[in-house]
Structures are given as structure tokens and as C-alpha cells.
Amino acid sequence: MKVVAGFLFLTSLFKGCISGSSEICPGSNADKHAKCSMTVTFPSASCSVVSYEILSRLRGLNGWIDPHNQGTYELLEEDKERNQITASRLTGDRKYTDKFQFGLTEIDGKTDACEMTACSESQVRSVIDYSTNYCNLRSLYCNSSDGCPVVASSLEYEETYSDCTQRDAEKCIADSVH
């Protein structure tokens, strides 16, 4: 009986780890698709400041445009209770749509620090996306020293990648934006 109970405990713990690490991803109906999953730490900005900047860019405030080939962002849901943002981006050539989610959590013991889990997934069959899923996310928080247009706050950040092999930051800013 102890072995069975121990196995059930480990099984539930393992499932929790899997769902915890992937639950921020919005999902895709495509059987094979590119994606980018990562954690971004903002050591000197609260989650409300980070969230405001992301939402402001999503809404195109102050004339903000997507620096990655002028795609069109759309806010799908803002869940204030769970501190999650779900959105999509239509590519500049209007051919492809990707969905993504952000989950923001205040860092314990720090008044102005935020950790964000982020995941973007292609909604069509794809393997190589030329950093598009990475740029979908990064374009919404990158700062002025990166060459990104900023709405209200130039955020300092550090990225840690979970499943994001295609991540060339230089591809996130089209020449026409400079």
C-alpha cells in the first residue's frame, strides 16, 4: 500500500510540474508548430508597471507600432485575478496568426520586482519561425536601449529560456523602425 500511495504522490507531483511549466502556453491546433516559452525577470519594476507597458503596446497607445514587421496585436483577455494576459499577433503580411500568454508574479521580498512566464505558439503547422514567436513576446517589453519603441517605461529585464531555440533579438526590429 505504501508503494502505491508513494507512486500516486509522485505521479501527481510530476503532472503538476508538467502543467505548471506549460499552462501559460495558449495551445495550438497544429500538430507540429514553433513556439517560444521563457521566463523574464524585471528586477526593478513591479508587475503593475510591466503589465501596463505590455497592455499599452498591445493597444498601440502613443502611436506604438510593432517593431517586428508591423504585425497587428490583439488583446484577447486580461485576467486581473490570475494576473495573466492572452493575446494574438497577425504577421505584417497578414498570413499567420500566433497566440501568446503572459503570467506575472511579484517576486517575494521585493517591492519593485516582477517575474513573468511567457509563451507564444504558432497556430499553423510550422517548425522554423525565424524567431517570430520570440519577437511576439519580446516586442512587448523590450527597452529603448534594445532599439524598441517604448510607451511609458523602458524596462530592465533578464530572459531565461525554457523552450525557445529560435531567438535572435536582432530579427525583432525591422530596419524601417530604426
Side-chain angles (χ1 to χ4, degrees), residues 22-81:
S22 64
E23 71 181 348
I24 198 68
C25 292
S28 175
N29 289 328
D31 58 341
K32 289 185 180 189
H33 60 279
K35 79 178 206 179
C36 177
S37 178
M38 63 182 170
T39 301
V40 185
T41 304
F42 301 91
S44 56
S46 68
C47 287
S48 61
V49 168
V50 174
S51 178
Y52 180 79
E53 184 66 24
I54 289 170
L55 291 168
S56 295
R57 293 183 193 189
L58 278 169
R59 293 177 175 128
L61 295 184
N62 296 338
W64 187 88
I65 59 164
D66 172 25
H68 181 67
N69 301 318
Q70 287 86 43
T72 304
Y73 281 94
E74 180 181 358
L75 177 63
L76 301 176
E77 180 183 9
E78 179 186 3
D79 186 336
K80 290 181 182 180
E81 190 173 301

Side-chain angles (χ1 to χ4, degrees), residues 53-54 56-61 63-73 89-93 100 130-132 134-151 157 168-178:
E53 184 66 24
I54 289 170
S56 295
R57 293 183 193 189
L58 278 169
R59 293 177 175 128
L61 295 184
W64 187 88
I65 59 164
D66 172 25
H68 181 67
N69 301 318
Q70 287 86 43
T72 304
Y73 281 94
R89 178 182 174 273
L90 177 64
T91 55
D93 61 9
F100 54 90
Y130 303 98
S131 300
T132 296
Y134 171 66
C135 296
N136 290 343
L137 304 170
R138 185 177 186 275
S139 294
L140 294 173
Y141 61 80
C142 56
N143 58 42
S144 53
S145 64
D146 296 323
C148 293
V150 172
V151 174
Y157 63 91
D168 183 351
E170 289 182 14
K171 291 186 178 183
C172 296
I173 301 174
D175 288 334
S176 63
V177 175
H178 289 291

